[in-house]
């Protein structure tokens, strides 16, 4: 196929604001669609709105998921009409956590859904999801919209993470305290971070990040105040490695998001390590302590 992205403009067109501005919704739709399609191809029909917010956008809580989901429906409808293709609606793959079925907000794209009984809603969900999970042209849909497949979802990484979760050994109290401090106080990084950090985030390579801010794709390697010089050197090279792995994961997840990696140390860089960090382009925050 040589028409990659032929209808990519539909995303911006549908997601425009009343002032004809293309804002955050279009970016969110570009992240959400590959995840929804990945779920459809894998037969996942019991995911929740929270799951979608986290896997696609990196937020454990995100109250605005309904708007991009409505845009997803409109985009697929327009693409289907343009190409005479009956594209299923993947929105019913996503459920209310408390009810186990899509919320009444689905009436926005499925007229009359809100007024139906619970049993009827379950029946509608089953019928629509059967079409979505058996549809054979999802790769074509992504291709036409200029999107890449989300190859792995968070659910499929859980076993990988568990395999490494018990094998890293102990750590000093200073190191642990500094990690927790950075995770809870990202402002010390002087970088635009609004999410709370996760400590001990496990990469698909089996490595672990001291601190990870998923929504921003920012990782932090931490070395406490009295770390030996060689250990700080190792930390600099770990940052180089983690950046490469995170950006490789972004490709696999269909996100294509650049990663930012910082080294935080409780002490001061030696002249040797300062030169290494500068040569490798690693930003280091010095004299940071809880």
């Amino acid at each position: 196929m040589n028409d990659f992205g032929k209808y990519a403009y539909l995303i911006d067109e549908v997601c425009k604001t009343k002032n004809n501005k293309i804002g955050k919704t279009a970016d969110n739709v570009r992240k959400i669609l590959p995840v929804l399609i990945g779920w459809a191809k894998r037969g996942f029909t019991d995911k929740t709105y929270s799951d979608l917010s986290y896997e696609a956008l990196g937020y454990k809580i995100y109250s605005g998921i309904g708007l991009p989901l409505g845009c997803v429906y409109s985009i697929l409808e327009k693409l289907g009409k343009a190409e005479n293709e009956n594209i299923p609606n993947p929105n019913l793959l996503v459920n209310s956590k408390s009810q186990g079925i899509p919320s009444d907000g689905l009436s926005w794209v499925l007229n009359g859904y809100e007024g139906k009984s619970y049993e009827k809603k379950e029946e509608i969900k089953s019928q629509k999801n059967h079409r979505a999970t058996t549809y054979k042209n999802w790769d074509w849909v992504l291709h036409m919209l200029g999107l890449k497949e989300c190859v792995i979802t968070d659910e499929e990484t859980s076993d990988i993470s568990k395999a490494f979760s018990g094998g890293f050994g102990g750590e000093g109290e200073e190191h642990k305290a500094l990690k927790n401090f950075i995770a809870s106080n990202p402002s010390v990084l002087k970088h635009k971070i609004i999410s709370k950090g996760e400590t001990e985030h496990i990469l698909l390579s089996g490595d672990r990040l001291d601190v990870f801010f998923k929504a921003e794709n920012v990782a932090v390697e931490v070395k406490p105040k009295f770390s030996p010089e060689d250990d700080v050197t190792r930390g600099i090279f770990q940052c180089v490695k983690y950046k490469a792995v995170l950006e490789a994961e972004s490709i696999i997840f269909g996100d294509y998001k650049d990663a930012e990696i910082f080294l935080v140390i409780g002490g001061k860089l030696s002249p040797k390590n300062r030169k290494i960090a500068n040569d490798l382009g690693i930003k280091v925050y010095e004299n940071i302590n809880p």
Side-chain angles (χ1 to χ4, degrees):
M1 294 184 287
N2 58 2
D3 46 7
F4 181 78
K6 180 179 178 181
Y7 292 97
Y9 70 88
L10 286 177
I11 298 176
D12 290 338
E13 182 181 279
V14 169
C15 296
K16 277 183 181 178
T17 66
K18 292 180 180 179
N19 298 323
N20 286 328
K21 291 184 178 179
I22 300 168
K24 188 175 181 181
T25 301
D27 291 336
N28 287 345
V29 166
R30 288 187 173 93
K31 296 173 183 177
I32 286 171
L33 253 170
V35 172
L36 285 176
I37 289 175
W39 289 351
K41 291 174 67 175
R42 291 160 179 79
F44 296 163
T45 61
D46 294 313
K47 291 285 194 173
T48 67
Y49 297 107
S50 296
D51 292 333
L52 184 61
S53 297
Y54 184 71
E55 293 196 26
L57 308 179
Y59 293 107
K60 292 185 177 179
I61 300 176
Y62 180 70
S63 59
I65 202 74
L67 176 59
L69 278 174
C71 291
V72 163
Y73 172 79
S74 298
I75 291 161
L76 297 182
E77 187 178 45
K78 286 178 177 289
L79 173 60
K81 287 180 178 178
E83 289 289 319
N84 195 28
E85 175 76 10
N86 189 10
I87 304 171
N89 180 3
N91 288 6
L92 284 84
L93 298 170
V94 197
N95 304 276
S96 163
K97 192 171 185 178
S98 61
Q99 293 182 310
I101 57 173
S103 71
D104 285 346
L106 189 67
S107 293
W108 186 14
V109 300
L110 196 62
N111 190 35
Y113 177 83
E114 182 176 0
K116 298 187 183 300
S117 67
Y118 184 88
E119 291 73 19
K120 186 61 177 177
K121 289 176 180 177
E122 281 191 314
E123 182 182 338
I124 293 170
K125 169 189 168 180
S126 178
Q127 291 172 349
K128 296 290 186 182
N129 284 345
H130 177 73
R131 280 209 63 229
T133 55
T134 58
Y135 181 63
K136 302 301 183 184
N137 291 332
W138 283 126
D139 290 338
W140 171 84
V141 170
L142 289 170
H143 185 85
M144 286 299 202
L145 293 173
L147 301 172
K148 296 290 187 180
E149 181 180 7
C150 180
V151 180
I152 299 177
T153 69
D154 278 5
E155 180 169 305
E156 293 171 291
T157 67
S158 61
D159 289 340
I160 297 173
S161 296
K162 288 175 184 175
F164 292 102
S165 60
F168 295 112
E171 64 177 331
E173 288 302 316
E174 289 183 7
H175 185 250
K176 183 177 180 180
L178 185 53
K179 282 192 310 185
N180 290 334
F181 175 73
I182 297 299
S184 301
N185 298 276
S187 59
V188 301
L189 301 175
K190 299 180 176 59
H191 193 79
K192 189 176 180 181
I193 297 174
I194 60 173
S195 59
K196 185 177 180 180
E198 170 192 353
T199 60
E200 304 300 315
H201 176 81
I202 300 173
L203 298 170
L204 294 181
S205 62
D207 298 292
R208 64 173 176 174
L209 303 175
D210 282 336
V211 185
F212 183 48
F213 300 94
K214 181 173 180 177
E216 295 82 9
N217 211 25
V218 170
V220 181
E221 175 68 10
V222 167
K223 297 296 179 185
K225 186 172 183 178
F226 296 107
S227 297
E229 183 175 3
D230 288 347
D231 193 34
V232 175
T233 304
R234 185 170 67 90
I236 296 170
F237 280 91
Q238 284 174 308
C239 288
V240 175
K241 177 183 181 181
Y242 297 158
K243 179 176 175 63
V245 173
L246 275 173
E247 291 181 350
E249 284 192 8
S250 291
I251 294 173
I252 295 300
F253 288 127
D255 194 4
Y256 295 87
K257 186 190 296 182
D258 290 339
E260 294 281 351
I261 312 291
F262 303 121
L263 177 63
V264 170
I265 62 175
K268 189 174 177 62
L269 281 175
S270 68
K272 181 192 80 171
N273 279 332
R274 190 177 304 281
K275 184 177 188 309
I276 292 172
N278 288 340
D279 288 347
L280 297 178
I282 299 301
K283 171 69 176 177
V284 181
Y285 291 90
E286 303 175 67
N287 299 314
I288 304 295
N289 290 284

